[in-house]
Amino acid sequence: MKKTLAILLFSLSACASSNLPNKINGKYYWSGDKLCKKYKIYKEDVIECSDKKGRNINYRSAMNDDEYQIYYRRWLSSVYRSRSGSEQQFFPSQNDYISSNVYPAFTGSINR
């Protein structure tokens, strides 16, 4: 029982810190990693992310349909593999889906 509880708690903590697509305001964004614990809507398709202390501000664009479909197909494939007895799980990283509309991190102020 203790072993099962420990595995469950570890799984939950891993999910909480994973960089996965999250639906925000109707669109999917890569968030949840240590540099995007907090976010706010910056523009129509862009979120402003920061770490849990509100530092290291960076900007992330919404995933386009092709990027999300690639992620979803890979995720679905990993589910089928795990059900067929394979222990390997696949969680793609943001680097697998870098597109030309990713905003680089910068410091300083923004005039709105």
Side-chain angles (χ1 to χ4, degrees):
M1 178 68 174
K2 288 181 182 180
K3 185 176 182 180
T4 304
L5 181 59
I7 291 171
L8 177 63
L9 291 175
F10 177 76
S11 298
L12 291 175
S13 66
C15 291
S17 63
S18 296
N19 184 24
L20 297 171
N22 290 293
K23 195 170 191 176
I24 301 168
N25 204 26
K27 298 180 180 177
Y28 287 93
Y29 297 85
W30 286 105
S31 60
D33 60 295
K34 67 181 182 178
L35 293 177
C36 196
K37 291 293 183 188
K38 296 180 179 181
Y39 69 85
K40 64 182 177 180
I41 305 297
Y42 176 70
K43 292 184 191 177
E44 181 180 344
D45 292 339
V46 180
I47 58 172
E48 179 181 280
C49 291
S50 63
D51 62 14
K52 64 183 177 181
K53 294 182 180 181
R55 299 178 303 202
N56 299 316
I57 294 174
N58 62 91
Y59 297 86
R60 300 186 182 184
S61 299
M63 296 172 77
N64 64 37
D65 290 338
D66 291 337
E67 291 168 325
Y68 185 77
Q69 287 299 319
I70 291 169
Y71 164 78
Y72 182 74
R73 287 181 186 144
R74 288 183 179 180
W75 173 82
L76 196 56
S77 175
S78 72
V79 169
Y80 287 132
R81 279 194 308 262
S82 66
R83 287 187 180 176
S84 68
S86 173
E87 293 293 323
Q88 181 183 15
Q89 290 186 342
F90 176 75
F91 293 103
S93 71
Q94 180 178 0
N95 295 332
D96 293 335
Y97 305 95
I98 298 293
S99 68
S100 60
N101 59 348
V102 173
Y103 289 75
F106 68 94
T107 58
S109 63
I110 300 172
N111 297 325
R112 294 185 187 190

